Amino acid sequence: SSPKVTANGVHDIEDRILRITGYYGYNPGYSSHRSCARPRITRIKPGRCSEKHSDLLSSLNMCQNTEDKNTQAIKPSTNSSPAVCWKAVERKSLSGEEGSESHAETPGSESSRESHSYQTCANSAVKVLGGLLMVLCVSSSWVGTTQVVKLTFQSFSCPFFISWFSSNWNILFFPIYYSGNVVITREKQTPIQKFRECSRLFGEDGMTLKLFVKKTAPFSILWTLTNYLYLLALRKLTATDVSALYCCHKAFVFLLSWIVLKDRFMGVRIVAAIMAITGIVMMAYADGFHGDSFVGVALAVGSASTSALYKVLLKMFLGSANLGEVAHFLSTMGVFNLVFISGVPLILYFTKVEHWGSLSSLPWGYMCGLAGLWLVFNILVHVGVVLTYPILISIGTLLSVPGNAAVDVLKHEVIFSMVRLAATCIICLGFLLLLLPEEWDFTLRFLANIADKKSEERGDELTESSINTRSRSRANGTVSIPLA
């Protein structure tokens, strides 16, 4: 059916609307026969416009004042111009589209947020479970190391040779790290390339012989002294006492870090250090200040002191080194121990300080098991700090004390005195206080509250004294005038 021509020559309502609004260069009769005028021209036959176009047209018809739809042309409204009306319709349509899109995106965004929160909770749960597993592994490996040392001393009492033999296993640090790194990241670097990359820890030029001796010798000596003194203490004391006294190294680390590294002062950690020292004195007093007990306590405290010094110097040297550089450095220490410290066991052997006997008579099973457990403990300590929370590693070390106590009571039938139990509990409590974060320094808050109370009391006293002074001055006929 052909479009109807009205009296003014306009074909239909659509042409009238477009003529009034001047929409995109309107030509009479164009839209009815060819297309609906849009910013991007789309061919739409007459009467077949989409529902959205029909809504727009109906909105435009409502904006115009029409007296006769068939005979008279549409006149613009006196209150609003056609362009403003058209823009209002377009704005309404766009806001409707945006609202529908945002409404359509709301379920997706909610689901994405839920999935993100679920993933975060899952990662935290996995990290906590991994940390708990790490705690058990650290404590069990350290308990196993201490108990195997006691078993080894029953047939082979050469602590320095055992310490030297166990320290040589540090050479395996870097190969184990490289193997795990290849499995996880699937790197194509050769071991030599990776070793050279991690050698930048010693400088831009890599590791030279001079740097190897200069940087590695102090740490290797401290490492050897720590292990040797720990083994000597195990010959004098029970495993529980030695492991408890070794936990004092945490207090020594804080004191050295406060003095050397200028770390933040914390009153609660000072209290923990005092508790550690108190536990040491009580442990020495348990059997009197004489005999093997006092010597064993001194050896255990010496081991904790050298361990603290080693850790503070290692923090100064390594700083924020990655796991590969740490593995490289520990393997380098193992090489230094094998090359330069191998003469010390020979000297002790020929001076008859430590007698080995024949190599075939050595308890290689115990010694290899001891060295393996010691290596596992050191790997867990250094890797666990990267994989999980460092506080869990410290808790794993602390749990070795009740673990050794359980083994000593059940297997060796050791009876602990009340003084030793009290000393052990005090040392462990001090160790836990050292694990508190810096924000929990309640001692400084307590002292600040006391200072505030004293200042308030002084203020009240000053107020009362000033009132008495004014009353006396008024009685004498004088009045004090305050300064502005």
Side-chain angles (χ1 to χ4, degrees):
S1 62
S2 62
K4 296 180 181 180
V5 180
T6 59
N8 58 357
V10 182
H11 288 79
D12 54 12
I13 187 65
E14 183 182 358
D15 286 338
R16 281 184 285 169
I17 293 171
L18 296 176
R19 180 176 62 82
I20 292 171
T21 59
Y23 185 72
Y24 291 104
Y26 160 74
N27 291 321
Y30 177 78
S31 60
S32 299
H33 296 284
R34 296 189 180 182
S35 65
C36 294
R38 301 296 294 167
R40 291 183 181 179
I41 298 174
T42 55
R43 303 291 181 179
I44 302 176
K45 294 182 180 181
R48 294 187 179 181
C49 292
S50 61
E51 294 180 358
K52 187 181 294 185
H53 291 86
S54 63
D55 294 338
L56 290 174
L57 293 175
S58 61
S59 300
L60 282 171
N61 288 328
M62 291 174 66
C63 291
Q64 308 298 327
N65 288 326
T66 60
E67 296 178 356
D68 190 357
K69 295 183 180 179
N70 297 324
T71 58
Q72 296 182 0
I74 298 177
K75 296 180 181 181
S77 175
T78 58
N79 297 328
S80 60
S81 62
V84 172
C85 189
W86 177 262
K87 290 178 180 179
V89 173
E90 279 190 334
R91 192 180 300 113
K92 181 179 179 182
S93 64
L94 291 174
S95 63
E97 291 177 1
E98 292 176 357
S100 61
E101 289 177 359
S102 62
H103 181 72
E105 291 177 357
T106 299
S109 60
E110 291 180 355
S111 61
S112 63
R113 284 196 297 268
E114 290 178 357
S115 62
H116 179 70
S117 61
Y118 175 77
Q119 185 177 2
T120 303
C121 294
N123 292 334
S124 301
V126 169
K127 194 171 184 179
V128 170
L129 291 176
L132 295 177
L133 181 61
M134 189 70 68
V135 166
L136 294 176
C137 293
V138 169
S139 60
S140 59
S141 61
W142 190 235
V143 170
T145 301
T146 306
Q147 295 297 328
V148 172
V149 169
K150 299 289 286 186
L151 293 175
T152 306
F153 281 162
Q154 295 178 1
S155 57
F156 184 70
S157 182
C158 296
F160 193 90
F161 182 83
I162 295 174
S163 174
W164 170 80
F165 179 78
S166 301
S167 298
N168 289 334
W169 284 50
N170 287 340
I171 299 174
L172 299 176
F173 256 98
F174 187 79
I176 293 174
Y177 161 75
Y178 178 77
S179 301
N181 192 43
V182 169
V183 172
I184 295 174
T185 62
R186 297 181 180 179
E187 286 189 359
K188 296 182 179 179
Q189 285 182 316
T190 61
I192 297 176
Q193 292 175 345
K194 191 66 177 178
F195 189 83
R196 289 177 179 175
E197 178 183 344
C198 297
S199 298
R200 295 176 184 174
L201 178 69
F202 293 90
E204 295 295 333
D205 298 332
M207 185 176 60
T208 60
L209 181 61
K210 182 179 179 180
L211 289 175
F212 169 72
V213 176
K214 182 180 178 181
K215 300 292 185 180
T216 312
F219 296 100
S220 297
I221 293 172
L222 289 174
W223 180 283
T224 303
L225 279 176
T226 299
N227 297 339
Y228 180 56
L229 293 175
Y230 188 83
L231 296 181
L232 285 176
L234 284 174
R235 292 204 306 183
K236 305 290 184 179
L237 300 174
T238 62
T240 305
D241 296 340
V242 176
S243 59
L245 291 169
Y246 183 75
C247 289
C248 295
H249 77 277
K250 197 76 174 177
F252 299 152
V253 167
F254 162 69
L255 294 176
L256 289 174
S257 300
W258 178 41
I259 297 171
V260 178
L261 301 180
K262 307 299 181 182
D263 283 356
R264 177 184 174 184
F265 172 81
M266 289 185 63
V268 65
R269 293 184 179 178
I270 291 294
V271 174
I274 295 173
M275 294 178 68
I277 296 172
T278 304
I280 292 170
V281 174
M282 291 178 64
M283 191 75 71
Y285 178 74
D287 296 330
F289 293 97
H290 63 276
D292 292 342
S293 178
F294 181 77
V295 175
V297 171
L299 292 172
V301 173
S303 176
S305 303
T306 53
S307 175
L309 183 59
Y310 165 81
K311 291 182 178 181
V312 172
L313 293 179
L314 190 67
K315 184 178 180 180
M316 292 177 59
F317 175 64
L318 295 181
S320 58
N322 55 32
L323 187 58
E325 292 173 345
V326 173
H328 176 278
F329 184 74
L330 293 174
S331 293
T332 306
M333 285 176 52
V335 173
F336 184 91
N337 184 81
L338 180 62
V339 174
F340 293 97
I341 304 183
S342 298
V344 179
L346 295 176
I347 294 173
L348 295 177
Y349 175 77
F350 287 113
T351 56
K352 296 183 180 180
V353 176
E354 291 186 355
H355 184 68
W356 309 339
S358 60
L359 295 178
S360 60
S361 62
L362 297 180
W364 291 110
Y366 284 148
M367 292 181 61
C368 291
L370 168 63
L373 287 173
W374 218 324
L375 178 65
V376 169
F377 172 76
N378 290 318
I379 290 175
L380 291 175
V381 168
H382 291 89
V383 175
V385 174
V386 179
L387 297 181
T388 184
Y389 304 101
I391 190 174
L392 297 178
I393 306 301
S394 300
I395 292 175
T397 305
L398 180 63
L399 289 179
S400 64
V401 178
N404 282 315
V407 175
D408 288 340
V409 171
L410 297 176
K411 185 175 181 181
H412 303 290
E413 297 180 356
V414 177
I415 300 175
F416 297 101
S417 62
M418 294 301 297
V419 178
R420 288 184 180 274
L421 287 177
T424 302
C425 293
I426 290 173
I427 292 173
C428 293
L429 182 59
F431 189 91
L432 289 176
L433 289 178
L434 289 167
L435 298 181
L436 294 177
E438 295 183 354
E439 294 79 9
W440 292 15
D441 192 5
F442 59 85
T443 54
L444 294 181
R445 296 178 184 174
F446 180 72
L447 295 176
N449 293 331
I450 292 176
D452 292 338
K453 290 181 180 179
K454 288 184 177 179
S455 62
E456 290 177 358
E457 292 176 357
R458 290 178 181 176
D460 295 337
E461 292 176 357
L462 291 174
T463 304
E464 293 176 357
S465 63
S466 62
I467 292 172
N468 294 330
T469 303
R470 284 197 299 269
S471 63
R472 287 194 301 269
S473 63
R474 288 173 181 173
N476 296 328
T478 61
V479 178
S480 60
I481 300 173
L483 298 176

